[in-house]
Amino acid sequence: MVIKVVKGNPTPEELAAALAVVQARAAVLASAPSGAPRVADAWAAPARLAARTLPQPGPRAWARTYWPGGG
């Protein structure tokens, strides 16, 4: 893994802190079971949105519809 500082001049302590975070994240990903969904994948999954049921319209649902410019 190659990490390059492209802007700024970090101190050795700041660089060590940033690398510790990167290494901790890599360790978590490496220790996750191979079949487990990743958090980012689960968050972006279309099935998460489709799982919600939409409310069914009632007899006067048309009256609750908003039409811009309508009276």
Side-chain angles (χ1 to χ4, degrees):
M1 173 175 24
V2 176
I3 296 178
K4 180 179 178 181
V5 177
V6 294
K7 187 174 183 180
N9 190 15
T11 64
E13 293 82 14
E14 292 171 334
L15 194 54
L19 289 175
V21 170
V22 170
Q23 287 179 339
R25 177 71 176 150
V28 167
L29 291 176
S31 67
S34 62
R38 290 180 30 215
V39 174
D41 292 342
W43 178 256
R48 183 181 70 85
L49 298 174
R52 290 186 266 162
T53 58
L54 297 175
Q56 297 298 316
R60 295 188 39 87
W62 62 269
R64 294 187 300 270
T65 305
Y66 173 73
W67 292 96

